[in-house]
Amino acid sequence: MAIEIEKPGVGLSKVAVSETHGEDSPYFAGWKAYDENPYNESSNPSGVIQMGLAENQVSFDLLEKYLEEHSEASSWGKGAPGFRENALFQDYHGLKSFRQAMANFMEQIRGGRARFDPDRIVLTAGATAANELLTFILADPGDALLVPTPYYPGFDRDLRWRTGVKIVPIHCDSSNNFQVTPEAMEAAYRCAESMNLKVRGILITNPSNPLGATIQRTVLEQILDFATNKNIHLVSDEIYSGSTFSSSEFISIAEVLETRGYKDSERVHIVYSLSKDLGLPGFRVGTIYSYNDKVVTTARRMSSFTLISSQTQHLLACMLSNKEFSENYIKTNRERLTRRYDMIINGLKNAGIECLKGNAGLFCWMNLSPLLEEPTRESELALWKVILNEVRLNISPGSSCHCSEPGWFRVCFANMSEQTLEVALERIHKFMEQRRRRN
Amino acid sequence: MRLIVPLQSVVQGRGGLIFGSLIPCALFYFLQLYLKRHRSHNPQSSPPSPTLSSPKLAELTRTSSRSNLFSRGSNGQVRISTRAISIAKPNDSPYYIGLEKASEDPFDRFGNPDGVIQLGLSENRLCFDLIEKWILENLKDSMMGSDDGDLNINGIATYQPFDGTLELKLAMAGFMSHIMGGAVSFEPSQMVLTAGATPAIETLCFCLADQGNAFLVPTPYYPGFDRDVKFRTGVELIPVHCRSTDNFTLSITALDQAFNQTRKHGTKIRGILLSNPANPVGNLLSREMLHAILDFAREKNIHIISDEIFAGSIYGDEEFVSMAEVLDSEGFDKDRVHIVYGLSKDLSLPGFRVGVIYSFNENVLAAARKLTRFSSVSAPTQRILVSMLSDTRFIEEYIKTTKRRVRNMYDLFVAGLKKLNIRCADSSAGLYCWADMSKLISSYSEKGELELWDKLLNVGKINVTPGSACHCIEPGWFRCCFTTIVEEDIPVVMERIQKAVKSTTNLSNSS
């Protein structure tokens, strides 16, 4: 969009006026409806229940307990001796103790099946910044990244807005539980080529958002082989790695690299954050773990635009290096998420709704395609509007995740109390009954 | 490095055999020449292993970028973007080299008396005792909210508005107003909070200019602007040179000349980037000058970014006038003005990452708000700052005490330099002075200035920022920050300057 000089006001940039931030899509429109009429157990029991926000609130008590018992984490020791140094610390390398704690935590999540070197950790203010930063480093404006569908709606903004990089989707469908296949990757690559776009990398989310399922080892190997053959990068966003329901089912790309003796590893980069596993999105803590030295150096320098508060680094370094806390947290969090998942799956089943078999994340991938008038995006959005306005649940339509099959919806279950989840399930039950009676 | 891009496409086979061999050879020769001039490490030949520490990574970066050019076909090393290639280069700016040397061997009066004295980082270390006292007395209540005495992490753990909580904006608005002498009030709804002033500047550049556009910036300027404005946005900085004859004050004539010159070359100017108080000189823009700049911006229909991060570090008697105050009196055409602020200087909390974009332009605010998702202030930090900034009694005492202590250090430091016949530019703000050492350099040139800088760093063991790193057009000027040391260190600094100046060792060929 060009800025005309004849306009009375002073002009803005293309970035400022572009719609690439995506905030006009249904994904965000639902949030507006929720903001205007939010559910509250006592004061607004008929309000909209927010099931479109992947936030983890099931383990706050564990965090509160730790902070109560360890005041040194949120202060700077008796007499605050460490305060001065901490307040002045703006080194983009980040606190060594915090990087060490993050590396250990990431190892614990993977059951010790992969090692992480603290010096390869680059800190950013959230995974949003980490993904954008990596895109700036791996691709030039006009280049492309391949991303399997369905994918997190935020990627459209995070990977494309300021970077000028394009996303070419790798289409996945329900015939094989939405898994990535070599054919689908090839097709996406050829599609990019036909549009004269240079593919610079492939970005996967493992465990997947919105599917709520981990990627199988064989598929990871195929993706890595594909990236190696095309000589492109592989970014693995493992933000939900600590939110798997069983510790053994998640396989990180780090483990695959380890078994291959780190051959060809310089093309692999892992993104992680504490927003989901630890339920601390407000803290703004993200990391890039790269096996490529140049990427580490460059990412570190670029992280000047998105540093983590030194106060927060100090707090979390204390908390995460407490082995007793972290082990207990990971285990308990997993158990509680599993319980929530079972609750929602059974509730939906009783209402006659099937979901994709999931084993991770803060949401489930629900199949409402039988309810669609026609197997089209418009039908899906119409159904979504009904659910938002009549059932008063904000869930995310698959089309906002670029799913090629209409009728799938992402439903979050960890950002509310169990009672609220019960209310939501009741409403769905009622809605489905009404539908059946109508037919 | 624009050299690298065409070379890569040549190596990929689109240029033909002759180009494929001649051009790489020629460019390789020039690359070697460039690297030789700036070499300070030994090149390594072994491939990178996952456990190297960071200084070594910088060395390997250079080697692997060379091998990337010529062995891409054979060992198929994966490529990074053009943007990243220039950022990955080892940093050869004296500004950064000096900072690194000082942090590797920091001076300590008792523990390391021969270490490097850090005068190159504009940090205020004079008033930590006050902040520490506040922390000890107030932290417990301020960090977590409490529901009937129980800790409640929900309030700070969950997603917050990316552009900062209303509480912090309110507290910040009050603080900014206080800092600027109460002459102007700030609206929280026109505020966007960012993780430091660094992303505030970058975010504004993304909003106001397209790739290839430019901002006019008076020189000398803060070396970090080169990174903040140019790194990822692709926006250029056009220097508008100021001179010692005017005490480095901006002139509208120079602004106009630079504007016209740039336009002739086909580059679109989108705005002016100012620092007021100025860094590195430390002078203030007068009310008249602010009006004149506003008129100029209006005439050319461009933006003004006013970085007022040192607004609270006034030690002189001159009055600080914010661009916001001038706009208040003008009453119109506010859409083009955007102010940047932060807590790194006035409150000495650079580690906490708190910056402010203050704009009168609704469209800019709307875009900037959305962009803060990439650089938000951390929630626990927001919480503690709401408490601190709202404690008006503490803030008043802090502002008063800082002013007194900075003024004291300034007087002693400048007097010390005067005894060595080194005069400083007239300044009334900032945490530094702008010293004229042009009489002490061997040749009146950038080379001469860098030789002196080298001697000061390696013989005198003091890190100061040379004017060339700030794009100063007159050689021999150095920025010396005096708030990172204590009174007792000042005579030591002066001795070391003398030692460095008197030394006849020519170090520039030995590294």
Side-chain angles (χ1 to χ4, degrees):
Chain A
M1 260 176 77
I3 315 290
E4 293 98 335
I5 309 175
E6 302 87 66
K7 269 207 171 112
V10 63
L12 263 58
S13 67
K14 295 192 188 99
V15 164
V17 301
S18 110
E19 308 265 287
T20 317
H21 52 74
E23 289 191 15
D24 304 321
S25 85
Y27 181 71
F28 298 102
W31 291 29
K32 288 192 198 123
Y34 165 77
D35 283 336
E36 285 159 14
N37 182 20
Y39 170 84
N40 182 290
E41 210 176 325
S42 33
S43 61
N44 189 17
S46 60
V48 176
I49 298 181
Q50 172 67 285
M51 303 189 89
L53 181 57
E55 208 175 53
N56 180 359
Q57 296 185 13
V58 308
S59 305
F60 277 154
D61 58 317
L62 300 177
L63 297 170
E64 281 159 359
K65 183 161 169 288
Y66 172 84
L67 289 168
E68 252 184 58
E69 293 171 4
H70 298 90
S71 59
E72 75 277 7
S74 33
S75 69
W76 287 270
K78 243 180 145 57
F83 173 78
R84 186 177 301 219
E85 209 184 310
N86 187 249
L88 289 173
F89 186 82
Q90 53 174 332
D91 182 351
Y92 57 36
H93 288 85
L95 273 182
K96 176 97 197 222
S97 57
F98 179 52
R99 277 185 287 124
Q100 187 69 60
M102 278 300 267
N104 291 341
F105 191 64
M106 287 168 75
E107 283 173 2
Q108 277 182 294
I109 284 177
R110 290 157 183 75
R113 295 184 299 271
R115 310 257 65 187
F116 290 97
D117 175 3
D119 289 331
R120 289 200 169 281
I121 289 184
V122 176
L123 302 173
T124 60
T128 299
N131 281 318
E132 193 202 35
L133 217 144
L134 271 176
T135 307
F136 269 120
I137 293 173
L138 306 180
D140 284 313
D143 289 345
L145 291 178
L146 304 181
V147 184
T149 67
Y151 61 77
Y152 162 55
F155 280 159
D156 287 328
R157 169 198 58 213
D158 301 346
L159 307 179
R160 301 185 317 163
W161 191 10
R162 296 194 291 190
T163 61
V165 171
K166 304 196 194 302
I167 294 177
V168 173
I170 298 172
H171 293 293
C172 303
D173 58 65
S174 58
S175 61
N176 69 343
N177 290 328
F178 295 96
Q179 287 180 89
V180 174
T181 63
E183 295 75 33
M185 288 190 281
E186 263 312 320
Y189 192 89
R190 278 198 305 272
C191 178
E193 275 187 330
S194 72
M195 295 192 279
N196 267 323
L197 301 173
K198 289 205 183 59
V199 176
R200 295 302 185 191
I202 168 171
L203 189 147
I204 60 176
T205 308
N206 178 27
S208 160
N209 175 9
L211 300 177
T214 56
I215 300 183
Q216 294 172 17
R217 182 182 281 273
T218 39
V219 178
L220 282 176
E221 308 249 10
Q222 284 167 346
I223 296 172
L224 186 53
D225 288 338
F226 177 82
T228 309
N229 288 335
K230 304 292 188 201
N231 193 22
I232 59 178
H233 293 274
L234 170 55
V235 176
S236 180
D237 185 344
E238 303 190 348
I239 197 176
Y240 292 101
S241 47
S243 304
T244 48
F245 306 151
S246 124
S247 73
S248 54
E249 286 182 35
F250 168 65
I251 296 163
S252 164
I253 195 74
E255 295 172 54
V256 175
L257 286 176
E258 182 134 330
T259 37
R260 289 186 178 196
Y262 294 102
K263 187 168 164 291
D264 287 321
S265 60
E266 86 279 356
R267 65 186 71 260
V268 178
H269 324 279
I270 297 176
V271 167
Y272 186 58
S273 157
L274 298 180
S275 299
K276 310 297 180 183
D277 293 344
L278 228 53
L280 298 173
F283 279 38
R284 309 314 303 141
V285 179
T287 71
I288 294 172
Y289 188 89
S290 176
Y291 296 90
N292 183 315
D293 293 338
K294 218 186 305 179
V295 173
V296 172
T297 309
T298 314
R300 222 176 246 142
R301 290 182 183 170
M302 243 191 229
S303 70
S304 298
F305 297 110
T306 183
L307 296 176
I308 302 178
S309 167
S310 53
Q311 174 202 11
T312 304
Q313 291 189 48
H314 166 79
L315 194 161
L316 292 171
C318 291
M319 189 159 79
L320 293 181
S321 50
N322 185 317
K323 274 256 152 55
E324 196 191 315
F325 166 79
S326 56
E327 271 169 18
N328 179 49
Y329 183 91
I330 293 173
K331 186 163 138 294
T332 311
N333 187 45
R334 224 171 234 150
E335 283 163 9
R336 292 179 183 180
L337 287 177
T338 309
R339 202 180 121 96
R340 280 294 175 99
Y341 176 77
D342 289 338
M343 192 177 147
I344 195 176
I345 291 297
N346 290 328
L348 289 175
K349 205 163 190 191
N350 290 338
I353 298 175
E354 290 295 319
C355 294
L356 182 78
K357 177 119 181 33
N359 60 353
L362 311 174
F363 34 74
C364 59
W365 189 234
M366 183 169 76
N367 185 6
L368 293 183
S369 56
L371 294 172
L372 294 186
E373 301 259 336
E374 286 158 18
T376 61
R377 187 170 173 270
E378 289 70 30
S379 255
E380 177 189 284
L381 285 176
L383 178 59
W384 168 75
K385 274 207 188 89
V386 166
I387 295 176
L388 181 62
N389 296 318
E390 289 175 23
V391 191
R392 276 160 290 116
L393 300 177
N394 177 36
I395 59 179
S396 311
S399 48
S400 63
C401 305
H402 301 273
C403 186
S404 45
E405 278 178 36
W408 292 84
F409 291 80
R410 187 191 78 170
V411 187
C412 299
F413 54 71
N415 61 314
M416 62 192 76
S417 67
E418 272 187 21
Q419 292 91 314
T420 309
L421 185 54
E422 294 282 11
V423 173
L425 288 170
E426 267 170 43
R427 290 188 189 178
I428 294 176
H429 211 267
K430 230 184 264 166
F431 170 71
M432 291 299 283
E433 270 197 29
Q434 282 170 356
R435 278 256 159 162
R436 271 192 287 273
R437 263 187 251 125
R438 227 181 286 156
N439 298 344
Chain B
M1 264 193 78
R2 295 183 203 285
L3 282 175
I4 297 181
V5 175
L7 183 60
Q8 279 195 325
S9 63
V10 165
V11 170
Q12 276 167 18
R14 283 180 228 138
L17 195 59
I18 296 193
F19 286 126
S21 46
L22 271 183
I23 294 184
C25 289
L27 289 171
F28 182 64
Y29 171 70
F30 288 120
L31 188 60
Q32 284 284 61
L33 215 59
Y34 170 82
L35 291 171
K36 218 183 205 150
R37 279 215 318 266
H38 298 271
R39 180 168 307 171
S40 50
H41 311 280
N42 295 318
Q44 288 199 4
S45 52
S46 50
S49 75
T51 53
L52 284 165
S53 64
S54 34
K56 296 231 185 76
L57 283 177
E59 298 167 52
L60 283 165
T61 294
R62 199 191 302 143
T63 313
S64 47
S65 73
R66 276 216 305 276
S67 66
N68 204 24
L69 291 175
F70 300 106
S71 57
R72 195 189 172 283
S74 48
N75 72 12
Q77 254 193 18
V78 68
R79 162 203 191 284
I80 61 175
S81 70
T82 315
R83 262 186 288 235
I85 287 172
S86 56
I87 296 172
K89 276 179 0 209
N91 222 319
D92 53 6
S93 157
Y95 178 66
Y96 295 105
I97 293 179
L99 286 181
E100 210 181 297
K101 249 210 160 106
S103 67
E104 281 166 13
D105 179 21
F107 168 79
D108 182 284
R109 227 174 316 135
F110 311 108
N112 187 18
D114 294 323
V116 179
I117 300 185
Q118 173 67 285
L119 302 177
L121 198 53
S122 66
E123 267 172 10
N124 181 356
R125 298 195 191 169
L126 306 177
C127 294
F128 270 119
D129 55 323
L130 296 175
I131 303 184
E132 274 157 13
K133 182 160 165 282
W134 187 92
I135 294 277
L136 284 171
E137 291 170 3
N138 297 279
L139 184 66
K140 199 161 162 298
D141 301 322
S142 67
M143 255 287 282
M144 308 288 158
S146 35
D147 273 349
D148 304 314
D150 290 325
L151 275 185
N152 178 12
I153 202 175
N154 199 323
I156 60 169
T158 53
Y159 279 104
Q160 319 272 309
F162 284 120
D163 60 326
T165 58
L166 183 57
E167 290 84 14
L168 184 53
K169 287 184 187 178
L170 276 162
M172 184 66 85
F175 180 68
M176 283 171 72
S177 179
H178 209 136
I179 279 271
M180 299 187 191
V184 61
S185 67
F186 292 92
E187 267 302 312
S189 60
Q190 288 172 233
M191 217 179 256
V192 168
L193 301 180
T194 57
T198 297
I201 301 265
E202 196 203 32
T203 299
L204 276 175
C205 291
F206 267 115
C207 291
L208 308 179
D210 293 320
Q211 193 169 0
N213 293 161
F215 276 94
L216 296 173
V217 58
T219 70
Y221 63 82
Y222 160 55
F225 279 162
D226 286 325
R227 171 199 57 198
D228 301 348
V229 175
K230 303 200 272 188
F231 248 27
R232 308 193 294 188
T233 64
V235 172
E236 274 305 314
L237 278 176
I238 306 293
V240 179
H241 293 295
C242 304
R243 296 168 195 283
S244 56
T245 40
D246 305 317
N247 197 45
F248 295 98
T249 306
L250 180 60
S251 93
I252 299 295
T253 319
L255 209 53
D256 201 32
Q257 266 173 1
F259 185 89
N260 293 329
Q261 194 87 317
T262 311
R263 209 168 41 164
K264 241 185 256 166
H265 284 133
T267 298
K268 190 165 182 194
I269 300 273
R270 299 309 287 264
I272 307 167
L273 173 59
L274 305 166
S275 292
N276 180 30
N279 177 8
V281 180
N283 50 8
L284 301 175
L285 286 171
S286 67
R287 203 179 285 270
E288 295 71 36
M289 180 49 88
L290 290 171
H291 278 284
I293 295 171
L294 197 49
D295 287 336
F296 179 82
R298 195 173 291 139
E299 186 198 314
K300 309 292 185 194
N301 195 22
I302 58 179
H303 293 274
I304 298 173
I305 300 178
S306 181
D307 182 355
E308 304 187 348
I309 200 176
F310 288 101
S313 306
I314 314 292
Y315 48 75
D317 302 315
E318 209 183 318
E319 186 206 8
F320 169 72
V321 181
S322 164
M323 208 29 127
E325 198 186 324
V326 166
L327 277 183
D328 258 358
S329 59
E330 296 245 347
F332 66 99
D333 198 29
K334 299 181 171 187
D335 266 9
R336 63 182 77 258
V337 173
H338 322 280
I339 294 171
V340 168
Y341 187 66
L343 296 181
S344 302
K345 312 296 177 185
D346 293 343
L347 216 54
S348 312
L349 301 172
F352 285 14
R353 312 314 302 150
V354 183
V356 182
I357 294 174
Y358 191 82
S359 176
F360 297 84
N361 186 319
E362 266 314 310
N363 293 325
V364 171
L365 287 172
R369 263 179 218 125
K370 297 189 182 88
L371 286 171
T372 50
R373 67 189 341 102
F374 298 111
S375 39
S376 296
V377 184
S378 184
T381 304
Q382 294 199 51
R383 189 56 90 71
I384 199 178
L385 284 172
V386 167
S387 291
M388 198 188 284
L389 296 177
S390 313
D391 189 342
T392 34
R393 193 202 49 83
F394 162 73
I395 294 295
E396 264 170 34
E397 194 202 336
Y398 183 85
I399 292 176
K400 234 179 35 210
T401 313
T402 305
K403 189 179 180 128
R404 200 181 59 232
R405 293 183 185 176
V406 174
R407 177 62 191 252
N408 181 49
M409 286 300 285
Y410 169 78
D411 286 339
L412 291 170
F413 197 86
V414 168
L417 289 178
K418 199 156 181 221
K419 285 208 197 87
L420 303 177
N421 263 323
I422 298 172
R423 76 165 191 96
C424 295
D426 286 336
S427 60
S428 29
L431 308 172
Y432 38 76
C433 57
W434 186 234
D436 182 4
M437 302 199 198
S438 55
K439 298 198 205 83
L440 303 170
I441 58 182
S442 52
S443 71
Y444 190 67
S445 63
E446 184 179 322
K447 182 164 176 290
E449 175 187 288
L450 289 175
E451 274 171 20
L452 176 59
W453 168 76
D454 197 291
K455 279 200 275 191
L456 287 167
L457 183 60
N458 293 307
V459 175
K461 302 293 231 33
I462 62 170
N463 177 38
V464 290
T465 308
S468 48
C470 306
H471 304 270
C472 186
I473 197 158
E474 293 176 23
W477 291 84
F478 289 81
R479 185 189 77 170
C480 310
C481 302
F482 49 75
T483 51
T484 47
I485 53 176
V486 293
E487 263 187 57
E488 290 79 14
D489 299 330
I490 295 182
V492 180
V493 169
M494 299 306 154
E495 264 171 44
R496 292 202 187 179
I497 294 178
Q498 280 190 298
K499 182 171 165 213
V501 168
K502 288 196 182 121
S503 121
T504 49
T505 322
N506 196 346
L507 287 169
S508 58
N509 291 333
S510 64
S511 51

